Amino acid sequence: QLQLVESGGGLVQPGGSLRLSCAASGFTLDYYAIGWFRQAPGKEREGVSCISMSDGSTYYADSVKGRFTISRDNAKNTVYLQMNSLKPEDTAVYYCAAETHTTVQAMCVNPEYDYWGQGTQVTVSS
């Protein structure tokens, strides 16, 4: 079965950190771009960060630059999102998605997912 599974969400205080993981099973991520997206209640889904599994190029939304870092481990078929200096406005359900034949910027700005996960909740609150 082809699937992406996110983990690592939770409740954290403002200024805190979390690391999200996106693990693929049933297919290799080597030929995909992988993106993290988030959706807060009443808001549109937003592309947060994307990475190319083949060359490691990355893209970040302006809202997370300098605070979030996306990375990949091809051997583990997994992508990570390290989130530091979290703010209440980062609260959302975070999803990962996979897409072929795209650039990291195109995927984050105008995604056409081939696969996506079920999401993990991130809540930033004191």
Side-chain angles (χ1 to χ4, degrees):
Q1 184 176 0
L2 309 180
Q3 61 178 353
L4 296 172
V5 178
E6 303 96 336
S7 61
L11 172 64
V12 64
Q13 292 185 342
S17 298
L18 284 174
R19 189 177 82 153
L20 306 183
S21 298
C22 172
S25 61
F27 68 108
T28 177
L29 294 179
D30 288 355
Y31 308 109
Y32 286 82
I34 307 300
W36 284 99
F37 300 82
R38 65 186 181 187
Q39 189 163 21
K43 295 188 177 180
E44 293 187 355
R45 187 169 295 186
E46 173 190 18
V48 174
S49 183
C50 295
I51 188 167
S52 167
M53 296 300 284
S54 60
D55 65 14
S57 57
T58 59
Y59 173 89
Y60 294 93
D62 288 343
S63 58
V64 305
K65 279 182 181 176
R67 300 189 298 123
F68 290 11
T69 302
I70 193 169
S71 61
R72 76 196 200 277
D73 187 331
N74 291 68
K76 294 184 178 180
N77 222 22
T78 300
V79 171
Y80 304 97
L81 185 69
Q82 178 67 43
M83 306 187 295
N84 298 330
S85 302
L86 283 162
K87 304 175 181 179
E89 52 262 44
D90 294 318
T91 296
V93 178
Y94 284 70
Y95 302 85
C96 68
E99 185 176 334
T100 56
H101 306 298
T102 187
T103 65
V104 290
Q105 180 171 352
M107 184 182 184
C108 264
V109 174
N110 188 27
E112 298 181 359
Y113 314 128
D114 291 301
Y115 303 104
W116 62 92
Q118 82 289 348
T120 186
Q121 176 70 46
V122 171
T123 303
V124 185
S125 175
S126 55

